[in-house]
Amino acid sequence: MHEGCGGCGGIVMADSVRDRVIAIIAEQAVLDVADVKPEMSLEDLGIDSLGLVESIFAIEEAFDISVPYNANEPGKSDFDISSVDAIVRAVEALVAAKAA
Amino acid sequence: MKRVVITGAGTVNALADTVAGTFAAFREGRCGIAEIDVRDKERLGIRIGGQVRGWNESAHFNRQQIALYDRFTQFTLHAAREAIRQSGIDFSDALGLASGVVLGTAGGGVTTWDENYRAVYEEGKNRVHPFVVPRLMNNAAASHVSMEWNLRGPSFTVATACASSNHAMGLAFQMVRSGAATAMVTGGSESMLCFGGIKAWEGLRVMSRTACRPFSANRDGMVQGEGAAVFVFEDYDHARARGAPMLAEVVGFAMTSDAGDIVMPSAQGAERAITGALRDGRLNADDVGYINAHGTGTAANDKTECAAVAHAFGHHADRLMISSTKSMHGHLIGGTGAVELLACLMALTEGVIAPTIGYEEPDPECALDVVPNTAREARVDAVLSNAFAFGGLNAVIALRRI
């Protein structure tokens, strides 16, 4: 499938986790990276539930991690999706755990 | 009972991406079958097909849509846009509640299955894109049509192999005729020209490596095609009241089952569907001037179909014209009846009979007027479109000039 990989294809590996996650979210929201602010929620960004699972797929592909997220129980997941900053920190933690 | 008219038509197939372009190709007897371009084609034994060339998905759909639309859905939406535009019908208000969409497809999102099986089996990936299921499901195209045009009435997808579109259109016709719906968007789509889709057909050993030559004594099999055709079937009174274009009247439909063999056709089953459609449409045999044949170009189908037509029509079988446009656009499997209905519309609206191209040698077992190689001008008042599926499921539609 073209979509998920397309989200990370143009991103330089030297970029920080934060930059890469924001780039993925920005692409999903069809926004410029500069317009994605840390405090914004997915709702603010216009990303619906289908867009969220697509973003999570792109994140998993980009970092080769497995994100613990079940769309049936979005609130109960260990993966905090309440804001862009929360998502970035959750991905940073997963990337760190993988490296450890 | 309501009268049912066709008020719009749209298509994309190997010949063209519009109805006008397809009619032009039919008139010229142009062949859309050529060497196919698919991944891993060097591992295929069959390398020809009626492929839609130069399809640029981003010219028709945005990024989010493309993520959700398999190729068969893209073809469907493209064809539906043309049909609904021509019809001028507006489903946005109450009409949307009384209208639906019934489409045929045999395989649904075959390309999506193929790409993702490749990813997990061949490439060893353990993760697939989240939209694999909504892309590949057989009803994806019908559902996206319903969403795009606010169709909130009866909507579903029919899968009866090579008769899928005829069954779908027949059911849409019955719904409008009975008053269960005011208008129905109907037709079908298929996109099976990918490595796995072609390889599966190769296995059956019924495919030609050279050309589709229906009814010709030297025919050596079928050739796959891809694409879609979509129509608006509408209550005559409703269409008339809004001054809609009326391309033809749908007058009859019949479906039968051979209850015989999973692949071999039955002349009796086909004949019962033909005579059933005539009866349903209150047509006499000699009203019918043209039949769009199922005409796959296999040894078995073509002689069985000719026997069925000869039995059903008696002496009139020698006076009517019967052609197979699969010789030009290939066999679209679940979408084929929809694209072939275009040849019926051309016969009724333009008085031009699409030819059976690739015809080289007469076959005494197919001794009907198959309109060989060259289109013919002829005024016809009623036509049939045949579809006889693997599994012995037959569906025949009758149209009349309006």
Side-chain angles (χ1 to χ4, degrees), chain B residues 141-219:
Chain B
S143 294
H144 284 297
V145 169
S146 79
M147 289 181 263
E148 183 84 23
W149 285 282
N150 188 44
L151 297 162
R152 294 167 184 260
S155 300
F156 56 96
T157 295
V158 179
T160 50
C162 313
S164 302
S165 284
N166 270 23
H167 276 109
M169 295 187 294
L171 292 170
F173 160 61
Q174 290 179 339
M175 277 188 265
V176 177
R177 184 169 66 173
S178 71
T182 303
M184 293 295 292
V185 176
T186 188
S189 172
E190 200 74 70
S191 176
M192 228 179 245
L193 286 177
C194 55
F195 181 79
I198 298 166
K199 191 53 91 177
W201 279 100
E202 259 182 46
L204 205 54
R205 294 169 192 273
V206 295
M207 310 300 288
S208 172
R209 288 164 194 264
T210 51
C212 177
R213 300 181 201 83
F215 309 116
S216 189
N218 63 344
R219 67 185 178 275

Side-chain angles (χ1 to χ4, degrees), chain A residues 1-5 27-30 50-51 53-54 57 60-61 64-66, chain B residues 57 63-64 66-68 112 115-116 119 125 127-132 134-135:
Chain A
M1 305 272 299
H2 36 80
E3 271 311 305
C5 294
E27 185 178 348
Q28 189 66 47
V30 200
L50 216 48
V53 290
E54 204 182 8
F57 170 74
E60 289 183 327
E61 290 283 286
D64 192 22
I65 55 175
S66 181
Chain B
E57 59 187 6
R63 192 188 71 90
Q64 285 97 333
I66 290 167
L68 279 166
T112 297
E115 286 174 358
N116 287 281
K125 287 190 64 168
R127 182 186 300 127
V128 297
H129 192 276
F131 301 171
V132 171
R135 278 174 71 103

Side-chain angles (χ1 to χ4, degrees), chain B residues 254-269:
Chain B
M255 41 188 164
T256 64
S257 170
D258 298 341
D261 190 275
I262 195 67
V263 290
M264 289 305 289
S266 147
Q268 291 75 28

Side-chain angles (χ1 to χ4, degrees), chain B residues 331-395:
Chain B
H331 191 338
L332 280 77
I333 318 295
T336 211
V339 169
E340 290 166 31
L341 201 71
L342 295 171
C344 293
L345 289 182
M346 187 172 81
L348 292 171
T349 60
E350 310 211 342
V352 178
I353 308 299
T356 304
I357 69 165
Y359 187 83
E360 293 171 350
E361 282 178 44
D363 177 352
E365 291 194 283
C366 303
L368 300 174
D369 178 0
V370 300
V371 197
N373 299 319
T374 309
R376 200 180 298 166
E377 290 193 9
R379 184 189 161 95
V380 293
D381 295 316
V383 302
L384 297 185
S385 185
N386 288 346
F388 308 128
F390 275 177
L393 309 183
N394 311 302

